[in-house]
Amino acid sequence: MVKNDMRKVLNEINISEEKFIKAWRDIWLKVDVTPYKFAEYLCRINNRDDPNCYRELSKIISLPLEKIKVFSDVIPCLERIKSKGIYTITISDCGPDVVRYIHHLNLDLYFEKCFFSFEEGKTKETGLYNRALQVLCVEPSTITMIGNDYKRDYLIPKRLGINPILINRESKRGDSNTLTKVLESLGI
């Protein structure tokens, strides 16, 4: 979950990966906070009141827009979905940086509604799906969730009565699943 360059900085400032992930889930995903403020929070909870530490960590947290890419099948598949008139939303455990990436990549053009954990103050594990169902006024069984995280995109929606489909692009067994394959299986 934590990339090597992030891991290096976390080690330098003596923050465990577990502590980072907890802060990421409790703060970054639930509160509209800048990367610098989040980095400052992380450093301070580890008794590192050092602006250089904040800067280094915030540089890694906020990737430059030009480094963000989507898989090659994403845009064509979103185009197919849109051409069929399918109401499409995104539900994401993310911080405010992801919204910048979504706009930069023009992905927002494909979604009628977006539910972001940092805006709703809930993650997928703490009620973000329920919030979406409440706002949309739909039955869970009418929703198909396509995602890549087994727990957050498959198990949780399934427990709520949503139809989950797991995309596994990096299968070691050779049974990888792509968005294109998923749409074909749905007849889209």
Side-chain angles (χ1 to χ4, degrees), residues 129 133 139-147 153-166 182 186:
Y129 287 110
L133 292 169
E139 289 298 316
S141 62
T142 65
I143 304 272
T144 298
M145 169 61 191
I146 302 171
D153 297 336
Y154 186 82
L155 291 179
I156 294 170
K158 188 169 186 69
R159 189 175 63 235
L160 295 171
I162 295 170
N163 305 301
I165 297 174
L166 189 65
V182 167
L186 294 172

Side-chain angles (χ1 to χ4, degrees), residues 5-113:
D5 47 355
M6 176 76 80
R7 191 172 285 120
K8 180 182 173 209
V9 172
L10 292 176
N11 286 336
E12 286 174 12
I13 59 178
N14 201 26
I15 296 175
S16 71
E17 193 169 320
E18 293 77 27
K19 203 176 247 189
F20 170 79
I21 290 170
K22 181 175 178 359
W24 177 72
R25 285 187 176 139
D26 293 346
I27 305 295
W28 186 253
L29 295 182
K30 292 184 182 176
V31 180
D32 188 355
V33 62
T34 65
Y36 185 86
K37 285 291 184 189
F38 180 64
E40 180 180 13
Y41 169 80
L42 280 173
C43 293
R44 286 192 173 167
I45 64 171
N46 285 284
N47 301 316
R48 292 288 305 264
D49 194 12
D50 175 6
N52 289 327
C53 172
Y54 313 158
R55 274 191 294 282
E56 283 303 307
L57 195 52
S58 69
K59 276 190 235 171
I60 292 169
I61 291 168
S62 48
L63 288 170
L65 289 176
E66 62 274 3
K67 288 196 173 200
I68 303 299
K69 306 277 187 257
V70 295
F71 287 100
S72 60
D73 63 338
V74 170
I75 299 297
C77 287
L78 287 171
E79 289 284 347
R80 279 172 56 190
I81 292 168
K82 189 172 184 158
S83 74
K84 299 280 186 183
I86 298 170
Y87 190 85
T88 308
I89 66 169
T90 186
I91 298 176
S92 182
D93 281 343
C94 68
D97 59 323
V98 172
V99 176
R100 284 181 43 234
Y101 306 141
I102 287 172
H103 292 305
H104 174 72
L105 297 166
N106 293 319
L107 295 174
D108 53 327
L109 302 175
Y110 300 99
F111 301 108
E112 280 76 25
K113 184 86 177 116

